[in-house]
Amino acid sequence: MDISEFIDPEKGLIRGEIFHNKEIYDQELEQVFARSWCFLAHDSMIPDSGDFIQNYIGEDPVLVVRQKDGSVKAFLNQCRHRGMRICRAERGNTSNFMCSFHGWNYGLDGEVIHIPHEKEIYDNLDPEVFRATQVRLANYKGFIFGTWDETVADFEEYMGDFAWYFDAYIDRFEGGMEVVGVHKWVLPANWKFNAEQPASDMYHGEVSHASAFQVMMPISEEDGAPPPWVMQQLGVLSEPAGFQFSAPNGHGTGWFKGGMPLMDETIMNWHQSTREEVSERLGEERFDLAGHANIFPNFMMLSNYTFRVTHPRGPDEMEIWAWSMAPKNASAEVKDAIRLDILRTFSPAGMFEQDDAVNWEEEQRIMRGHMARQKPLIYQQMIGQARYDADGLPGKTVDHVYAEEAARGMYQHYADLMSGKPWPELEKIKKAREQKERDEIAARASPAPKTAAGGGQ
Amino acid sequence: MNKPTRVPHLFRRPEQLAPADVPMETAYQLEQFLYAEAELLDAWQFNDWLALMAPDVHYWAPVRENRLAREAEQEMYPPGTAAHFDENFKMLGQRVARLYTHMSWSESPASRTRHLISNVRAHVTDNPDEFRVQSSFHVYRTSSERHQDSVIGRRYDLLRRADNDYGFQIADRTVVFDMSMLLVKNLSSFY
């Protein structure tokens, strides 16, 4: 199905059909999820030999397993015999995986190690045929991503300039991150409604989350007013400034100048105390650079150390799998403050998250309508304002924290993948597109004289 | 976090499985208290509900997971790890205040809930004014035009006699939802 008529990134117009149509959804599983790098696990989720967790690439369940030699392997959690789920636990430790249908037994690496009555009933076992379908893996600073696609670029190249921004979330501290909590829940909405938000939408916060800001703001017991440090944090919201970044492969991030407002005093004090360490590690310019982000298609994060995937479950349903993380070397007090802050904000009972759910539910519900899918939705904030490598920021950015450059980038890349063109061709298209945009920006900055050959612009 | 401290499975603790041992009149008072609490929640009297919490209350709801049979004892995350609620009195107060901002969009317009409480069983403790009370709940919710869902589970409370209209305060509550992955869009009520 040609979906190009629904997406016009240059004009910032996107029709709701892409959130509603079952045929488009099925095409996403093949063209988007099966051809992208998807988040599967963090090293701290599977520290010891035999530790495993199950995750998904799209609708395909994947077992991610720590091997005896300390490496990680991942394979489709589907028995090669009749397609039964090999392992039915979400997490655990084991020496092997036995399918409970006919008893085929798989090693930690997905190789078949035992088939009942094998000698009597099979001529030969070709490991190429019998092994569980393997996932191509990459480990970026403890974050494990997987893809089925052999032609997509290596993970770091796939991230491109976004790696520099990603580090501002996950590589701030010696020792890296560890998991301190997890939540999984189901929402009646398309996965992209969630994904585009951490990619590109700081704008919704002041209205969607107004109630949470109001009640979580600490107030002094003496006069009932917020103490000065709180007023300083909230000041970021009253005069919003910052940047948004958009990557050719659909990743996006945005952040406030001065950093995300913090409402928990323990976390705020700790955060400020890390300025020197983080600045030494990443450069001072990246201390405040974390806000919201998405690695296309569906690995999202916020500066408060919540990380999530939205697994697609049909055009009108997603599963949100969210992990709370904390710097491994932070004090127990700080880690617990981070854990509590996330569960009270961005979990299904969280005071921010509850309200996001309603937005996405209603958006989805309305897309059932005919007229609701005719006029395109408007993704035009800061359109035509992109610059490259400006203000010390690698790649394409716009100079406002409220923008939709990253959403346009996300849906441009989505449309590229959905075209079905192979990765090598897409890479050429993206390079040419970027060059054209860079040339146009350069031409605007120093217009050619009208008398020049070709009449200038 | 992969190796949580093993805690006895919440559902299988001998003291909770033991026959109820409070006098009939006490059992009646405890049940009536839980019904009154449910009614306050369904009536959107959240400040009155909050007043039923002891100042030292701990309101906690652990996350659960599908585990291998031999790891079944680890299916609930222990205290200090993954939880849906992990609140003290002040934190609950923030959640209540949010509902009255008229900008808590998940509950504005408000959902309609019915807290059905059953299977109440109570045990005495070393303190004559405190009782361990278990109860099952079914919270049915409708919202917007046609959203509906149910959240079902069991609560493990420590109820303390108190000088208030309803006779008790909630000193401790553990809420165990009967879902691992939550099949609801959010947990915007109290349970």
Side-chain angles (χ1 to χ4, degrees):
Chain A
M1 182 173 181
D2 179 11
I3 62 136
S4 58
E5 66 174 300
F6 303 126
I7 297 179
D8 187 343
E10 285 182 16
K11 292 197 181 123
L13 296 172
I14 291 162
R15 276 176 56 189
E17 196 68 28
I18 64 165
F19 304 108
H20 167 81
N21 186 303
K22 176 70 165 67
E23 198 180 331
I24 291 176
Y25 174 78
D26 290 339
Q27 193 168 321
E28 285 175 357
L29 295 183
E30 179 187 354
Q31 300 296 349
V32 175
F33 287 97
R35 297 211 290 158
S36 298
W37 283 102
C38 295
F39 174 76
L40 290 180
H42 184 264
D43 272 334
S44 70
M45 298 175 190
I46 44 172
D48 298 328
S49 167
D51 284 349
F52 69 89
I53 74 156
Q54 184 186 242
N55 206 335
Y56 282 83
I57 296 177
E59 297 244 27
D60 290 311
V62 167
L63 283 172
V64 191
V65 191
R66 181 71 62 183
Q67 306 295 300
K68 289 189 178 119
D69 66 0
S71 67
V72 172
K73 293 203 167 163
F75 49 90
L76 185 64
N77 188 11
Q78 182 194 36
C79 184
R80 291 288 296 116
H81 180 222
R82 281 296 177 280
M84 166 71 170
R85 194 185 296 263
I86 300 168
C87 174
R88 292 160 63 208
E90 289 172 71
R91 198 164 71 94
N93 181 278
T94 194
S95 56
N96 57 286
F97 299 96
M98 190 194 77
C99 173
S100 54
F101 193 170
H102 299 89
W104 287 30
N105 212 325
Y106 295 83
L108 298 178
D109 54 3
E111 297 288 338
V112 172
I113 51 177
H114 177 71
I115 292 179
H117 309 291
E118 171 204 328
K119 293 222 160 48
E120 299 100 296
I121 53 182
Y122 286 104
D123 268 349
N124 85 55
L125 298 186
D126 180 354
E128 290 298 324
V129 175
F130 280 72
R131 80 163 58 93
T133 307
Q134 298 285 311
V135 183
R136 179 183 167 198
L137 292 179
N139 186 326
Y140 184 82
K141 302 186 180 184
F143 290 76
I144 300 162
F145 293 79
T147 181
W148 306 116
D149 196 312
E150 293 299 328
T151 66
V152 61
D154 288 343
F155 182 70
E156 287 200 42
E157 200 185 327
Y158 173 81
M159 280 208 293
D161 286 326
F162 182 75
W164 189 82
Y165 299 88
F166 189 29
D167 287 349
Y169 293 84
I170 58 113
D171 194 26
R172 301 173 76 87
F173 305 104
E174 183 67 35
M177 311 290 292
E178 67 177 10
V179 174
V180 296
V182 63
H183 299 94
K184 298 181 182 179
W185 71 105
V186 172
L187 258 175
N190 188 279
W191 65 276
K192 296 187 291 299
F193 282 133
N194 189 164
E196 68 166 49
Q197 210 160 282
S200 189
D201 187 352
M202 191 77 93
Y203 183 53
H204 76 290
E206 63 182 37
V207 172
S208 282
H209 303 308
S211 66
F213 280 115
Q214 268 187 39
V215 302
M216 295 186 76
M217 180 174 66
I219 46 172
S220 130
E221 289 186 8
E222 282 158 31
D223 57 3
W229 73 265
V230 173
M231 292 312 291
Q232 191 202 351
Q233 293 289 314
L234 290 174
V236 166
L237 293 173
S238 58
E239 286 180 48
F243 296 96
Q244 194 177 82
F245 162 86
S246 174
N249 285 341
H251 323 311
T253 179
W255 64 98
F256 285 112
K257 278 176 190 160
M260 281 282 237
L262 294 167
M263 313 271 253
D264 181 284
E265 198 167 5
T266 303
I267 294 173
M268 205 277 299
N269 287 334
W270 164 77
H271 177 72
Q272 293 302 343
S273 77
T274 65
R275 183 177 289 274
E276 201 174 321
E277 181 191 351
V278 174
S279 299
E280 205 163 290
R281 197 175 171 85
L282 299 177
E284 203 179 345
E285 72 279 10
R286 277 193 283 178
F287 179 73
D288 283 331
L289 193 135
H292 58 75
N294 181 44
I295 297 180
F296 190 90
N298 63 343
F299 184 51
M300 294 150 239
M301 66 209 75
L302 299 176
S303 57
N304 65 354
Y305 305 110
T306 178
F307 294 81
R308 71 170 53 175
V309 289
T310 51
H311 291 308
R313 294 293 180 263
D316 51 7
E317 188 177 286
M318 65 176 135
E319 285 174 17
I320 301 179
W321 292 27
W323 292 272
S324 316
M325 303 192 82
K328 192 173 169 124
N329 293 337
S331 70
E333 185 197 8
V334 166
K335 283 186 200 177
D336 205 48
I338 290 172
R339 178 186 72 84
L340 286 171
D341 177 64
I342 294 173
L343 84 85
R344 302 190 69 246
T345 52
F346 290 97
S347 84
M351 287 183 270
F352 284 69
E353 192 74 46
Q354 288 179 35
D355 295 337
D356 285 320
V358 174
N359 294 337
W360 302 330
E361 176 191 30
E362 294 285 14
E363 284 177 291
Q364 189 67 40
R365 181 80 202 167
I366 288 168
M367 288 306 168
R368 292 166 67 105
H370 167 74
M371 192 50 75
R373 282 174 280 129
Q374 299 310 307
K375 278 195 180 174
L377 304 177
I378 302 160
Y379 290 74
Q380 295 178 337
Q381 287 172 19
M382 294 298 286
I383 199 164
Q385 305 289 313
R387 325 86 38 92
Y388 279 88
D389 306 326
D391 292 319
L393 303 168
K396 179 157 76 166
T397 54
V398 290
D399 185 3
H400 205 292
V401 64
Y402 293 166
E404 284 158 352
E405 191 65 32
R408 291 188 291 275
M410 172 179 153
Y411 287 113
Q412 174 69 73
H413 178 61
Y414 171 85
D416 288 348
L417 283 175
M418 289 290 275
S419 75
K421 293 190 177 98
W423 266 108
E425 192 183 336
L426 289 180
E427 280 166 11
K428 276 186 207 148
I429 291 170
K430 286 169 188 294
K431 279 209 179 82
R433 188 186 290 141
E434 177 173 331
Q435 194 54 53
K436 181 165 167 274
E437 191 172 34
R438 282 177 182 266
D439 292 347
E440 283 167 4
I441 292 167
R444 273 204 305 274
S446 54
K450 284 222 155 75
T451 51
Q457 301 170 56
Chain B
M1 201 180 72
N2 212 48
K3 290 206 177 52
T5 321
R6 280 172 191 255
V7 289
H9 195 293
L10 269 172
F11 289 168
R12 300 187 194 133
R13 292 183 190 170
E15 69 271 26
Q16 283 158 353
L17 296 172
D21 58 6
V22 296
M24 192 187 288
E25 189 184 343
T26 309
Y28 174 79
Q29 291 167 344
L30 292 166
E31 281 172 19
Q32 287 301 315
F33 172 78
L34 294 176
Y35 300 155
E37 184 213 350
E39 190 130 23
L40 290 173
L41 288 172
D42 293 335
W44 262 70
Q45 299 300 306
F46 295 110
N47 285 315
D48 292 342
W49 175 81
L50 188 63
L52 299 181
M53 301 294 141
D56 59 338
V57 67
H58 183 215
Y59 181 98
W60 176 61
V63 170
R64 302 172 73 178
E65 285 184 325
N66 293 305
R67 299 296 295 243
L68 300 166
R70 65 173 179 276
E71 295 178 344
E73 289 289 314
Q74 297 174 58
E75 70 122 345
M76 276 182 215
Y77 276 92
T81 64
H84 297 296
F85 294 92
D86 200 344
E87 314 286 301
N88 59 27
F89 186 88
K90 188 178 161 200
M91 291 162 151
L92 285 174
Q94 289 179 342
R95 289 182 184 270
V96 166
R98 196 180 86 87
L99 296 170
Y100 291 108
T101 61
H102 293 193
M103 289 189 291
S104 59
W105 308 118
S106 59
E107 288 295 336
S108 183
S111 62
R112 298 157 289 271
T113 61
R114 188 65 53 212
H115 285 67
L116 304 173
I117 309 300
S118 77
N119 301 48
V120 181
R121 301 202 323 120
H123 296 93
V124 298
T125 68
D126 293 340
N127 182 335
D129 288 332
E130 291 186 346
F131 304 90
R132 287 186 296 104
V133 184
Q134 300 147 235
S135 58
S136 298
F137 64 87
H138 180 162
V139 179
Y140 174 71
R141 165 176 71 170
T142 71
S143 65
S144 190
E145 282 174 352
R146 45 181 296 168
H147 182 87
Q148 63 170 344
D149 59 33
S150 283
V151 177
I152 297 173
R154 193 149 175 85
R155 308 181 300 194
Y156 299 86
D157 294 341
L158 184 69
L159 300 186
R160 185 182 293 154
R161 284 201 189 276
D163 183 19
N164 63 26
D165 289 348
Y166 300 100
F168 294 94
Q169 277 187 328
I170 298 170
D172 190 83
R173 169 165 289 174
T174 297
V175 181
V176 181
F177 298 114
D178 286 345
M179 294 184 269
S180 56
M181 185 176 325
L182 296 176
L183 305 173
V184 294
K185 61 180 174 178
N186 59 27
L187 297 170
S188 62
S189 187
F190 297 102
Y191 304 91

